[in-house]
Amino acid sequence: MNTVKKEKYVVDLQKLQSICSRNYALLLRLLPLDYTNQQTWQIELGQGLYFILSVLDVTPYTEQFKLVQKSNLPTLVGQLEIEFRLYHDAQMVEVTKYQQQDRIRANNPYPNSKLHHKDEKTQINALLKDWLNLAIDHQFNKSKEALLRNSASN
């Protein structure tokens, strides 16, 4: 009887660090130059969907943020909630908490009882990257529409 030996999953650190570095650059594009501890912003994406971005903690080299998805629509299933830490010295952003899960492993045994992916940490950080891109693109499009409206009225 032949048995297939499963190879142990090895974290792709280069990929994970690349995503975390990209998240740092994206977050800096989204944030104003000056902000304070406990400050919040509401980011509207239209059709009743919006996000609340909050500063939880500010220290000289790191900052902690929380991102919560909200909706005015009763049909929205689930609510996104991510906490992440910004590291200024390493120029990286890393997700530290996702959906009340505060210990995100870089690699998980698979299969597992909680149905976590082998590369759960990489996937959650990639989700944050996608959200940051969405928020920045939406902001850019809103600014572009406002500029077009202003130039049309002149």
Side-chain angles (χ1 to χ4, degrees):
M1 179 176 190
N2 290 339
T3 59
V4 177
K5 184 179 176 184
K6 291 184 180 181
E7 290 187 33
K8 183 179 177 183
Y9 172 74
V10 178
V11 177
D12 185 346
L13 282 178
Q14 188 173 10
K15 180 178 180 181
L16 179 59
Q17 289 176 337
S18 172
I19 292 169
C20 292
S21 294
R22 179 73 178 144
N23 286 349
Y24 181 83
L26 290 169
L27 185 63
L28 290 183
R29 285 181 59 192
L30 191 61
L31 293 173
L33 291 176
D34 290 325
Y35 52 89
T36 59
N37 201 8
Q38 306 305 315
Q39 189 168 352
T40 63
W41 300 273
Q42 183 169 314
I43 301 165
E44 304 271 343
L45 295 180
Q47 299 181 355
L49 180 63
Y50 63 97
F51 290 85
I52 304 293
L53 179 62
S54 307
V55 181
L56 301 179
D57 189 35
V58 176
T59 63
Y61 300 107
T62 64
E63 296 167 11
Q64 186 79 16
F65 291 86
K66 183 176 187 177
L67 176 70
V68 179
Q69 175 183 305
K70 300 283 187 175
S71 176
N72 298 329
L73 305 173
T75 57
L76 184 67
V77 179
Q79 179 177 317
L80 175 72
E81 189 172 309
I82 299 176
E83 284 188 27
F84 51 93
R85 184 169 298 279
L86 182 144
Y87 300 95
H88 288 292
D89 53 349
Q91 296 186 342
M92 298 176 106
V93 168
E94 177 186 28
V95 174
T96 57
K97 189 174 184 180
Y98 176 71
Q99 307 294 75
Q100 281 73 48
Q101 175 191 347
D102 57 356
R103 251 187 80 86
I104 303 168
R105 293 178 48 147
N107 62 348
N108 289 299
Y110 194 80
N112 57 69
S113 62
K114 294 186 178 180
L115 303 175
H116 291 252
H117 292 277
K118 294 178 197 178
D119 62 343
E120 188 89 2
K121 187 171 199 143
T122 301
Q123 289 192 29
I124 293 170
N125 280 282
L127 174 65
L128 177 61
K129 179 179 67 97
D130 292 344
W131 180 84
L132 290 168
N133 276 316
L134 175 68
I136 289 168
D137 288 347
H138 188 74
Q139 261 192 343
F140 175 75
N141 289 335
K142 279 178 68 175
S143 299
K144 190 175 171 182
E145 287 172 12
L147 283 173
L148 289 174
R149 277 195 305 272
N150 288 339
S151 63
S153 62
N154 290 337

